[in-house]
C-alpha cells in the first residue's frame, strides 16, 4: 500500500487528530500486536513495531498510574499543609488580637500610673517644702533655746556663787547677827 504525496504551492495546516480517533488507532495497533504472535509473525518488522508500541503503551499506562498516585499523595500533602497553615493563621490572628488588647490595657495602666507619679511628685515637693520650713523653725527655736539656756545657766551659776558667799558670811557673821 503506497500513498502518493501531494504537493501544493501553499503550505498545509495540520489539523489535530481527534482524541477518539487516536484512541481507536492505538486499540487497533494493540490488537494487531497481540494478534501478531498468533498469526505466526507474518510481518516481522510490523509485528516488532506493534509489539514495541504495545510495550510502550503498557509503560506509559504504568507511568501514568504512578504519576496519578504521586499526584494524589502530593495533593493530600498540600491539603494537610493548607489546613495546618490556615489553623496557624487563625491562631496567630487570635494571638495578635489578644496581644493588642494587652497592649491597650498596659498603655492605660501606664497612663494612670504616670498621673499617680505626677501627683506623688507634687506631694513630695510640698512635703519637702514643709520639711525645710520645719527645719528652719527648729533651727531658730534651737538658737533661741541655746541663748536662753546659756543665760539661765549663767544666772544659776551666779546664784549658786551668791548662795555660797552668803552661807560663808552667815557662818562668820551669823554669830554676830
Amino acid at each position: 500500500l503506497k500513498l502518493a504525496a501531494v504537493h501544493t504551492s501553499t503550505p498545509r495546516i495540520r489539523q489535530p487528530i481527534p482524541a477518539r480517533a487516536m484512541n481507536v488507532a492505538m486499540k487497533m495497533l494493540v490488537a494487531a500486536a497481540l494478534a501478531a504472535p498468533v498469526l505466526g509473525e507474518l510481518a516481522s518488522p510490523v509485528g516488532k513495531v506493534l509489539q514495541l508500541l504495545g510495550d510502550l503503551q503498557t509503560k506509559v499506562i504504568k507511568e501514568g498510574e504512578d504519576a496519578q498516585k504521586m499526584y494524589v499523595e502530593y495533593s493530600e500533602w498540600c491539603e494537610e499543609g493548607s489546613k495546618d497553615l490556615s489553623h496557624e493563621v487563625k491562631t496567630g490572628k487570635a494571638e495578635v488580637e489578644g496581644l493588642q488588647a494587652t497592649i491597650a490595657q498596659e498603655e492605660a495602666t501606664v497612663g494612670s500610673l504616670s498621673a499617680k507619679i505626677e501627683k506623688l511628685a507634687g506631694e513630695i515637693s510640698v512635703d519637702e517644702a514643709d520639711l525645710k520650713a520645719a527645719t528652719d523653725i527648729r533651727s531658730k527655736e534651737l538658737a533661741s533655746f541655746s541663748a536662753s539656756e546659756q543665760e539661765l545657766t549663767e544666772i544659776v551659776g551666779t546664784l549658786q556663787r551668791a548662795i555660797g558667799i552668803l552661807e560663808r558670811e552667815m557662818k562668820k557673821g551669823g554669830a554676830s547677827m
Side-chain angles (χ1 to χ4, degrees), residues 2-78:
K2 284 190 170 185
L3 296 175
V6 178
H7 293 287
T8 60
S9 59
T10 59
R12 247 172 99 180
I13 299 175
R14 287 188 158 197
Q15 297 293 325
I17 299 172
R20 187 171 183 189
M22 185 68 123
N23 195 11
V24 170
M26 280 303 272
K27 286 182 182 179
M28 289 176 54
L29 284 174
V30 170
L34 293 174
V38 174
L39 296 175
E41 301 285 331
L42 291 175
S44 173
V46 172
K48 284 185 180 182
V49 167
L50 291 177
Q51 183 178 3
L52 287 174
L53 285 174
D55 292 345
L56 180 62
Q57 181 182 17
T58 304
K59 183 179 177 183
V60 168
I61 289 172
K62 184 177 183 313
E63 287 177 358
E65 289 171 353
D66 291 343
Q68 180 64 28
K69 185 178 177 183
M70 288 174 54
Y71 172 79
V72 167
E73 290 174 3
Y74 181 72
S75 176
E76 288 173 358
W77 178 79
C78 287

